Amino acid sequence: MNEVVHNRIAMLRAERGISRRQLAEALGVHYQTIGYLERGEFSPSLHLALRIARHFEVPVEVVFSTEPFPRLGTPTPPAARSA
């Protein structure tokens, strides 16, 4: 079973003007770990996922998902809006 975890780390970093290295230092991980996460080459532990969400001050579901995130500017389907 292929368990891909999609994330918005790169988008959140860009919004806040944070480099991979700065985020890694804040989280206490190697900067390459952030790159692996962003590219989907590595899935974070629950502990790391929660720390990343806390760093960005958002719920973990804003950062990580088992489903691909819709592209920015893509309209939300009517069925999803009423759910």
Side-chain angles (χ1 to χ4, degrees):
M1 180 201 280
N2 185 7
E3 297 184 17
V4 176
V5 176
H6 303 273
N7 71 77
R8 290 181 166 155
I9 298 170
M11 183 191 78
L12 290 165
R13 276 193 318 96
E15 280 181 356
R16 289 159 173 80
I18 300 170
S19 71
R20 285 182 180 163
R21 193 171 298 272
Q22 289 170 318
L23 179 58
E25 288 173 5
L27 297 171
V29 299
H30 194 277
Y31 75 92
Q32 288 179 326
T33 300
I34 303 303
Y36 294 142
L37 288 167
E38 289 180 352
R39 292 188 299 273
E41 296 173 10
F42 172 73
S43 293
S45 67
L46 176 57
H47 186 255
L48 181 55
L50 291 169
R51 286 175 34 222
I52 292 169
R54 182 177 36 193
H55 178 81
F56 289 116
E57 299 177 331
V58 297
V60 73
E61 296 87 358
V62 169
V63 186
F64 298 99
S65 176
T66 56
E67 300 294 323
F69 288 103
R71 296 190 70 77
L72 295 176
T74 303
T76 304
R81 275 187 244 138
S82 62

